[in-house]
Amino acid sequence: MTFKTEADSGVADRDEWSYAPTVGVGPLRFGMIVDEVVKAAQVLGQAQVSDYARDHAIFSPTWKIEVRREAAPSLPAVTAYVSQAVGLFCIAADAVHGPQVGYDGISLVGRDLSELESDVIAHAEAVDGHFRYTPEGHVGPNDPGVVMRGQLVGQVLRSRPLFMVTRDGANTEWDSMPSEEYRHGQSTT
């Protein structure tokens, strides 16, 4: 699959991962347990597992798995969240180091958010489809399993998509979002 990309994104040699709603992203499948996520993530790099503090008592114990590219001591390329009750429920692709993931031919990772907005709107108009905005004003596909976040890279706010399914005790994917993923706009360069 060929994705629309930016020449000035500052990212080269991204792996390309596919997204299937309610199924998973790349080698990661929703519902996997921690050991399965670690094994599947080896195609990208080294995984580090840590306990994730529960902000709400309704959620079962959760682990955060940060996957870093082997040759780069940097921010995680992918962060996966695994709940004891439902397994893997959230996959975040870093704007700089993460694999490229497309949605209907539009690349979602590491894009200047204003340019991504133009592409998503143009695509929706071309196919007589829809798109949606997050409360922060980030546009993305009209898919409840894709939540667009912003990540400040230098002076540009770039896209950091979350691919999700509903976790235990939540009503929607948005309610399922790990609390640390609400943080956005932090510089990574």
Side-chain angles (χ1 to χ4, degrees):
M1 173 177 275
T2 303
F3 300 115
K4 294 181 182 179
T5 60
E6 292 180 46
D8 66 342
S9 68
V11 180
D13 300 327
R14 281 194 192 263
D15 300 324
E16 290 185 7
W17 285 11
S18 61
Y19 164 66
T22 70
V23 175
V25 179
L28 303 176
R29 298 291 175 250
F30 296 120
M32 287 179 151
I33 62 173
V34 172
D35 291 342
E36 292 171 328
V37 171
V38 169
K39 184 176 180 180
Q42 289 176 348
V43 300
L44 185 61
Q46 299 294 321
Q48 177 183 351
V49 179
S50 60
D51 289 334
Y52 187 74
R54 283 196 288 182
D55 288 342
H56 304 289
I58 61 170
F59 296 136
S60 68
T62 301
W63 295 270
K64 177 172 77 171
I65 303 165
E66 296 178 319
V67 183
R68 290 177 169 76
R69 295 185 183 279
E70 293 184 36
S74 59
L75 293 174
V78 171
T79 303
Y81 298 89
V82 178
S83 160
Q84 182 178 26
V86 297
L88 178 62
F89 69 91
C90 179
I91 303 158
D94 183 77
V96 176
H97 306 286
Q100 189 52 259
V101 182
Y103 188 92
D104 207 13
I106 300 172
S107 62
L108 297 179
V109 182
R111 302 283 308 278
D112 177 307
L113 282 169
S114 62
E115 290 182 17
L116 177 60
E117 179 178 37
S118 296
D119 286 350
V120 169
I121 291 170
H123 179 269
E125 290 173 348
V127 300
D128 197 26
H130 301 280
F131 55 90
R132 66 184 184 150
Y133 283 95
T134 65
E136 293 86 8
H138 309 314
V139 72
N142 189 30
D143 180 329
V146 180
V147 177
M148 296 306 297
R149 308 298 297 154
Q151 179 179 331
L152 191 60
V153 179
Q155 300 297 313
V156 179
L157 195 57
R158 298 210 177 266
S159 56
R160 175 188 170 85
L162 306 180
F163 302 94
M164 305 178 62
V165 293
T166 305
R167 76 192 278 191
D168 53 302
N171 295 316
T172 67
E173 285 80 3
W174 187 260
D175 298 329
S176 299
M177 188 184 323
S179 58
E180 82 175 34
E181 293 297 340
Y182 280 103
R183 176 185 81 232
H184 70 283
Q186 299 211 358
S187 181
T188 60
T189 58

